[in-house]
Amino acid sequence: MYASRLSRRAVLAGTAATAALTTVPFLPGRAHAAEAAVLAGQAYRWRNVVQGGTGFVTGVLFHPSVRGLAYARTDIGGAYRWDDRTDRWIPLTDHLGWDDWNLLGVEAMAVDPAHPNRLYLALGTYAQSWAGNGAVLRSEDRGATWKRADLTVKLGANEDGRGCGERLLVDPRDSDTLWLGTRHDGLLRSTDRGATWQAASFPAAPSATGQGITLLVAAGRSVYAGWGDSDGTSANLYRTADGTTWEAVPGQPAGTAAKVPVRAAYDRHTRELYVTYANSPGPNGQSDGSVHKLRTTTGKWTEVTPVKPGGPTSDGGTDSFGYGGVAVDARRPGTVVVSTNNRWSLVDTLYRTTDGGRTWTSLKDKAVLDVSETPYLKWGADKPKFGWWIQAVGLDPFDSEHIVYGTGATLYGTRDLKNWAPEIRGLEEASIRQLISPPAGEAHLISGSGDIGVMYHERLTASPSRGMASNPVFGTSTGLALAAAKPSYVVRAGWGDNGNGAWSNDGGKTWAPFESQPSMAKSAPGPITTNADGSVLLWSFGTGNPGFRSADNGGSWSEVASFPKGAVPVADPVDPARFYAFDTTTGTLHASTDSGRTFTARATGLNSGDTEFQLAVAPGRSGDLWLSLKWNGLYRSTDGGATFTKVGSCWASYTLGFGKAAEGASYPAVYMVGSTESITAVYRSDDEAKSWTRINDDQHQWGWIGAAISGDPRVYGRVYIATNGRGVQYGEPAR
């Protein structure tokens, strides 16, 4: 259910469009006027559309000396601070912009026990060659403001091992010294509170493909480091007592069940270090694991594994899993909580001990889960599960019965060890793929996401009461569209549990699966659309695959031989007989005037060979097409795609949508993520893109936001933005 979300690369170079196009020159006077409007701007208020989590919480960190202060990190959606007064999370990294999209993934975080206002974040979503280097942010005011140190190495907050940690640590002997464990570049050290970083000596050699250092933890005045690239027989846990010399910890456990140290926590009362292990870093792929403790004063190791993986399940399978999170009770010696991870058959759990690991109790067994605030957590079933992908566990140092744990979709918490509910307010981490703002009906927004499918937002300030769309339930949504002249009719496509396409006759409240689907829909569901009156469906299935047409609401499908393979179908909002599709391999706009039966080429040479584009049709106007060709600019056609004119007021356009017209204007407001001069930002135009006003600000950028944007057709000025990790953001003019 929880797929790895891969962010698109923001490449700001490309070949110029070559075509027989009608092009309006970029006039200096116009550019100056447009930029002046941008600089003037308009104050907007930005908020999350409430979904209620939906993403992988990879770390939770309570401050050891300040009641009510905690931090959370996510794999692609930034970091958060808990506000104990309002019981909600405050986002801390929304200021990261388009060029810094790779920094929205938080690899690790650290607090300074002696200086409560200090916070450190290690950022970097991918360690691949195409991703940028990581960075460390440091704050003296709990994340309200930041200073940044760019690294020369890459981090991987959305790669395997992202639930390990923490990989960042303030040295227990010196608050000015920090340690950072990397995946491929060994151990880094800073002696000026994160301003500069240097390589530090470490006994194990890094590799280009391994996990490297998986955790750093203080135990008294010593620092311990986990090593994720052991073969199961060599050392995977090291320590230093002086900050200079590292040694393998003697007597440490070996074997498959203790191959990768995932997390560690130190009980200062008993002077014991608890370490969770698995046979792989997770969150996927773990099938074995164990828990061990080290009495640091004597060097004695003791295995305290609650339940050994590998036992039989009631359905004849094998109970395979690893161990993930671990937290100790700062108030009660010998009280520890650990989590299983990747336990799909019996569902993951938390085990708790009050006697140092001699006996354990599964907290899942008597848990009462209340997800009334976030109903999607039922996943289309009658009741929710305790959760999967549990690698983040936190135990409040001021309240022994306040435990939180992260899953692939939320953060659960309890105050009495029995009743659990999401403690997720303010933390929104969905990767949004599609947005629709209907012109009528109860909901102002329908969204399509990675991992949680489609949601019908009857309110913007509460998680949808219907949860995620069911019948069928989707993991990732690949297509979402409504009939412009019949907005009660909506269709969707995606990776489903019982079919890959569905339709709704009540605006997206309830759904029914298509009676049939093309054979390739199961392995490659793609974008889908419906014509203006909902009588015809067109479904595309990715690069190299043909498009299919249905004229009986998905009862039967026929291949459209002339449809450009792999293209995204777009319906005309007025004429039910018209469809459009843009072929990126040839840069050709194709159109159909016979309800999608056949397509013919129209304008050609539009940015041939570039797969990054978006084709939009202005509402209420037949044949009024807008083509965003990313860094190659914005083009418009008013003759159904026969010819296109380049829009001279911007040089880059990544995604574009429409909303209610300004008072006195005859054309819809146009919203765009793009560039007029140097900055990639969110813009609105009230004069058909002759000029633009920037409507976001430097504190509200959210990394890569190139998937979708939509204005609200009923509320002038309101705009919805799809982010890759910060859910749906919506903005309205400040009053």
Side-chain angles (χ1 to χ4, degrees), residues 153-188:
V153 304
K154 300 178 187 295
L155 305 179
N158 194 34
E159 298 189 350
D160 285 348
R162 56 193 182 273
C164 294
E166 296 295 320
R167 289 179 165 95
L168 184 63
L169 180 70
V170 175
D171 192 286
R173 298 174 301 270
D174 177 11
S175 288
D176 289 345
T177 298
L178 276 75
W179 301 94
L180 174 60
T182 73
R183 293 164 179 266
H184 311 308
D185 298 278
L187 182 66
L188 303 183

Short mmCIF file of all heavy atoms in Angstrom, two decimals, residues 153-188:
data_model
loop_
_atom_site.label_atom_id
_atom_site.label_comp_id
_atom_site.label_asym_id
_atom_site.label_seq_id
_atom_site.Cartn_x
_atom_site.Cartn_y
_atom_site.Cartn_z
N VAL A 153 28.17 15.75 -0.20
CA VAL A 153 27.75 14.36 -0.30
C VAL A 153 26.23 14.32 -0.46
O VAL A 153 25.53 15.29 -0.20
CB VAL A 153 28.18 13.55 0.93
CG1 VAL A 153 29.68 13.66 1.15
CG2 VAL A 153 27.43 14.02 2.18
N LYS A 154 25.75 13.16 -0.87
CA LYS A 154 24.32 12.98 -1.09
C LYS A 154 23.71 12.18 0.07
O LYS A 154 24.36 11.29 0.63
CB LYS A 154 24.08 12.25 -2.41
CG LYS A 154 24.61 12.99 -3.63
CD LYS A 154 24.38 12.20 -4.90
CE LYS A 154 25.06 12.85 -6.10
NZ LYS A 154 24.49 14.17 -6.40
N LEU A 155 22.46 12.50 0.39
CA LEU A 155 21.71 11.78 1.42
C LEU A 155 20.49 11.15 0.76
O LEU A 155 20.14 11.47 -0.37
CB LEU A 155 21.31 12.73 2.55
CG LEU A 155 22.47 13.51 3.20
CD1 LEU A 155 21.96 14.43 4.29
CD2 LEU A 155 23.52 12.55 3.76
N GLY A 156 19.79 10.25 1.47
CA GLY A 156 18.74 9.47 0.83
C GLY A 156 17.51 9.25 1.69
O GLY A 156 17.16 8.12 2.03
N ALA A 157 16.78 10.32 1.99
CA ALA A 157 15.64 10.24 2.90
C ALA A 157 14.46 9.46 2.34
O ALA A 157 13.56 9.09 3.10
CB ALA A 157 15.18 11.65 3.28
N ASN A 158 14.43 9.21 1.03
CA ASN A 158 13.34 8.40 0.46
C ASN A 158 13.88 7.14 -0.18
O ASN A 158 13.30 6.61 -1.13
CB ASN A 158 12.55 9.21 -0.57
CG ASN A 158 11.23 8.54 -0.93
OD1 ASN A 158 10.59 7.91 -0.08
ND2 ASN A 158 10.81 8.65 -2.18
N GLU A 159 14.97 6.64 0.34
CA GLU A 159 15.54 5.39 -0.15
C GLU A 159 15.47 4.34 0.95
O GLU A 159 15.07 4.62 2.08
CB GLU A 159 16.98 5.63 -0.61
CG GLU A 159 17.05 6.62 -1.77
CD GLU A 159 18.42 6.71 -2.40
OE1 GLU A 159 19.38 6.14 -1.85
OE2 GLU A 159 18.54 7.36 -3.47
N ASP A 160 15.85 3.11 0.62
CA ASP A 160 15.89 2.06 1.63
C ASP A 160 16.72 2.53 2.82
O ASP A 160 17.76 3.17 2.67
CB ASP A 160 16.50 0.79 1.06
CG ASP A 160 15.54 0.06 0.13
OD1 ASP A 160 14.35 0.42 0.13
OD2 ASP A 160 15.99 -0.84 -0.60
N GLY A 161 16.24 2.22 4.01
CA GLY A 161 16.93 2.65 5.22
C GLY A 161 16.46 3.98 5.75
O GLY A 161 17.01 4.49 6.73
N ARG A 162 15.40 4.54 5.15
CA ARG A 162 14.98 5.86 5.59
C ARG A 162 14.33 5.87 6.96
O ARG A 162 14.17 6.93 7.57
CB ARG A 162 14.03 6.48 4.57
CG ARG A 162 12.77 5.67 4.22
CD ARG A 162 12.18 6.30 2.96
NE ARG A 162 10.95 5.70 2.48
CZ ARG A 162 10.87 4.66 1.66
NH1 ARG A 162 11.99 4.05 1.28
NH2 ARG A 162 9.71 4.22 1.23
N GLY A 163 13.95 4.70 7.47
CA GLY A 163 13.42 4.63 8.83
C GLY A 163 14.48 4.34 9.87
O GLY A 163 14.17 4.24 11.06
N CYS A 164 15.74 4.21 9.46
CA CYS A 164 16.83 3.99 10.41
C CYS A 164 17.19 5.32 11.08
O CYS A 164 16.77 6.39 10.67
CB CYS A 164 18.05 3.44 9.69
SG CYS A 164 17.86 1.78 8.97
N GLY A 165 18.01 5.21 12.12
CA GLY A 165 18.51 6.47 12.67
C GLY A 165 18.44 6.57 14.18
O GLY A 165 18.20 5.59 14.86
N GLU A 166 18.60 7.80 14.64
CA GLU A 166 18.94 8.96 13.84
C GLU A 166 20.41 8.92 13.40
O GLU A 166 21.27 8.46 14.15
CB GLU A 166 18.66 10.25 14.60
CG GLU A 166 17.18 10.48 14.95
CD GLU A 166 16.31 10.70 13.71
OE1 GLU A 166 16.75 11.38 12.76
OE2 GLU A 166 15.19 10.15 13.68
N ARG A 167 20.67 9.45 12.21
CA ARG A 167 22.03 9.50 11.68
C ARG A 167 22.75 10.80 12.04
O ARG A 167 23.89 11.00 11.63
CB ARG A 167 22.00 9.34 10.17
CG ARG A 167 21.62 7.95 9.66
CD ARG A 167 21.60 7.94 8.14
NE ARG A 167 21.59 6.61 7.56
CZ ARG A 167 20.51 5.95 7.17
NH1 ARG A 167 19.32 6.51 7.33
NH2 ARG A 167 20.60 4.75 6.63
N LEU A 168 22.08 11.69 12.74
CA LEU A 168 22.63 12.99 13.12
C LEU A 168 22.61 13.09 14.64
O LEU A 168 21.61 12.74 15.27
CB LEU A 168 21.79 14.10 12.49
CG LEU A 168 22.23 15.55 12.67
CD1 LEU A 168 23.59 15.80 12.02
CD2 LEU A 168 21.18 16.48 12.05
N LEU A 169 23.71 13.61 15.25
CA LEU A 169 23.81 13.61 16.71
C LEU A 169 24.66 14.77 17.19
O LEU A 169 25.73 15.06 16.62
CB LEU A 169 24.43 12.29 17.18
CG LEU A 169 24.61 12.11 18.69
CD1 LEU A 169 23.26 11.93 19.38
CD2 LEU A 169 25.53 10.92 18.99
N VAL A 170 24.20 15.43 18.26
CA VAL A 170 25.02 16.39 18.99
C VAL A 170 25.90 15.60 19.96
O VAL A 170 25.40 14.77 20.73
CB VAL A 170 24.14 17.40 19.75
CG1 VAL A 170 25.01 18.32 20.61
CG2 VAL A 170 23.30 18.21 18.78
N ASP A 171 27.19 15.85 19.92
CA ASP A 171 28.12 15.10 20.76
C ASP A 171 27.79 15.33 22.24
O ASP A 171 27.61 16.47 22.67
CB ASP A 171 29.56 15.54 20.47
CG ASP A 171 30.58 14.62 21.10
OD1 ASP A 171 30.75 14.68 22.33
OD2 ASP A 171 31.21 13.84 20.36
N PRO A 172 27.71 14.28 23.04
CA PRO A 172 27.33 14.43 24.46
C PRO A 172 28.39 15.15 25.29
O PRO A 172 28.10 15.62 26.39
CB PRO A 172 27.15 12.99 24.93
CG PRO A 172 28.01 12.18 24.01
CD PRO A 172 27.91 12.86 22.68
N ARG A 173 29.62 15.27 24.78
CA ARG A 173 30.69 15.94 25.52
C ARG A 173 30.83 17.41 25.15
O ARG A 173 31.44 18.18 25.90
CB ARG A 173 32.02 15.22 25.25
CG ARG A 173 32.07 13.77 25.71
CD ARG A 173 33.37 13.10 25.26
NE ARG A 173 33.49 13.14 23.79
CZ ARG A 173 33.03 12.20 22.99
NH1 ARG A 173 32.40 11.15 23.50
NH2 ARG A 173 33.17 12.29 21.69
N ASP A 174 30.30 17.78 23.96
CA ASP A 174 30.55 19.13 23.46
C ASP A 174 29.42 19.53 22.52
O ASP A 174 29.28 18.97 21.44
CB ASP A 174 31.89 19.17 22.72
CG ASP A 174 32.20 20.53 22.11
OD1 ASP A 174 31.49 21.50 22.43
OD2 ASP A 174 33.15 20.61 21.32
N SER A 175 28.62 20.51 22.93
CA SER A 175 27.46 20.92 22.13
C SER A 175 27.85 21.55 20.80
O SER A 175 27.01 21.66 19.90
CB SER A 175 26.59 21.89 22.92
OG SER A 175 25.91 21.23 23.96
N ASP A 176 29.08 21.98 20.64
CA ASP A 176 29.50 22.57 19.37
C ASP A 176 29.84 21.50 18.33
O ASP A 176 30.00 21.81 17.15
CB ASP A 176 30.73 23.46 19.57
CG ASP A 176 30.39 24.74 20.30
OD1 ASP A 176 29.18 25.07 20.40
OD2 ASP A 176 31.32 25.42 20.77
N THR A 177 29.98 20.26 18.78
CA THR A 177 30.37 19.17 17.88
C THR A 177 29.16 18.34 17.48
O THR A 177 28.36 17.94 18.33
CB THR A 177 31.42 18.26 18.55
OG1 THR A 177 32.60 19.02 18.83
CG2 THR A 177 31.78 17.09 17.65
N LEU A 178 29.03 18.10 16.16
CA LEU A 178 27.96 17.27 15.62
C LEU A 178 28.56 16.16 14.78
O LEU A 178 29.62 16.32 14.16
CB LEU A 178 27.00 18.09 14.75
CG LEU A 178 25.89 18.86 15.47
CD1 LEU A 178 26.45 20.10 16.14
CD2 LEU A 178 24.79 19.26 14.48
N TRP A 179 27.84 15.05 14.75
CA TRP A 179 28.21 13.91 13.92
C TRP A 179 27.09 13.65 12.91
O TRP A 179 25.91 13.75 13.24
CB TRP A 179 28.41 12.65 14.77
CG TRP A 179 29.48 12.75 15.82
CD1 TRP A 179 29.30 13.11 17.12
CD2 TRP A 179 30.87 12.51 15.65
NE1 TRP A 179 30.50 13.10 17.79
CE2 TRP A 179 31.49 12.73 16.90
CE3 TRP A 179 31.66 12.13 14.57
CZ2 TRP A 179 32.85 12.58 17.10
CZ3 TRP A 179 33.03 11.98 14.76
CH2 TRP A 179 33.62 12.20 16.01
N LEU A 180 27.47 13.30 11.68
CA LEU A 180 26.51 12.94 10.65
C LEU A 180 26.98 11.69 9.94
O LEU A 180 28.06 11.67 9.34
CB LEU A 180 26.35 14.08 9.63
CG LEU A 180 25.47 13.80 8.40
CD1 LEU A 180 24.04 13.45 8.83
CD2 LEU A 180 25.47 14.98 7.44
N GLY A 181 26.17 10.65 10.03
CA GLY A 181 26.47 9.42 9.31
C GLY A 181 25.84 9.44 7.93
O GLY A 181 24.66 9.76 7.78
N THR A 182 26.62 9.12 6.91
CA THR A 182 26.12 9.12 5.54
C THR A 182 26.01 7.71 5.00
O THR A 182 26.54 6.75 5.57
CB THR A 182 27.02 9.95 4.62
OG1 THR A 182 28.24 9.23 4.36
CG2 THR A 182 27.34 11.31 5.24
N ARG A 183 25.36 7.59 3.88
CA ARG A 183 25.16 6.28 3.27
C ARG A 183 26.39 5.81 2.50
O ARG A 183 26.74 4.63 2.54
CB ARG A 183 23.96 6.33 2.33
CG ARG A 183 22.64 6.54 3.06
CD ARG A 183 21.53 6.96 2.13
NE ARG A 183 20.28 7.12 2.87
CZ ARG A 183 19.36 6.16 3.01
NH1 ARG A 183 19.54 4.99 2.44
NH2 ARG A 183 18.26 6.38 3.70
N HIS A 184 27.03 6.72 1.78
CA HIS A 184 28.10 6.32 0.87
C HIS A 184 29.41 7.06 1.10
O HIS A 184 30.38 6.81 0.38
CB HIS A 184 27.66 6.56 -0.59
CG HIS A 184 26.30 6.02 -0.90
ND1 HIS A 184 25.95 4.71 -0.64
CD2 HIS A 184 25.21 6.60 -1.45
CE1 HIS A 184 24.69 4.51 -1.02
NE2 HIS A 184 24.22 5.65 -1.50
N ASP A 185 29.44 7.95 2.08
CA ASP A 185 30.63 8.79 2.26
C ASP A 185 31.14 8.80 3.68
O ASP A 185 31.79 9.77 4.11
CB ASP A 185 30.31 10.22 1.79
CG ASP A 185 29.96 10.27 0.31
OD1 ASP A 185 30.89 10.29 -0.51
OD2 ASP A 185 28.76 10.25 -0.01
N GLY A 186 30.84 7.77 4.42
CA GLY A 186 31.40 7.62 5.75
C GLY A 186 30.82 8.58 6.78
O GLY A 186 29.66 9.00 6.71
N LEU A 187 31.64 8.95 7.74
CA LEU A 187 31.23 9.76 8.89
C LEU A 187 31.72 11.19 8.70
O LEU A 187 32.89 11.43 8.38
CB LEU A 187 31.81 9.16 10.17
CG LEU A 187 31.45 9.85 11.49
CD1 LEU A 187 29.96 9.72 11.78
CD2 LEU A 187 32.27 9.23 12.63
N LEU A 188 30.82 12.15 8.91
CA LEU A 188 31.18 13.56 8.86
C LEU A 188 31.11 14.15 10.27
O LEU A 188 30.33 13.71 11.11
CB LEU A 188 30.24 14.34 7.94
CG LEU A 188 30.12 13.87 6.50
CD1 LEU A 188 29.21 14.80 5.71
CD2 LEU A 188 31.49 13.76 5.83
#
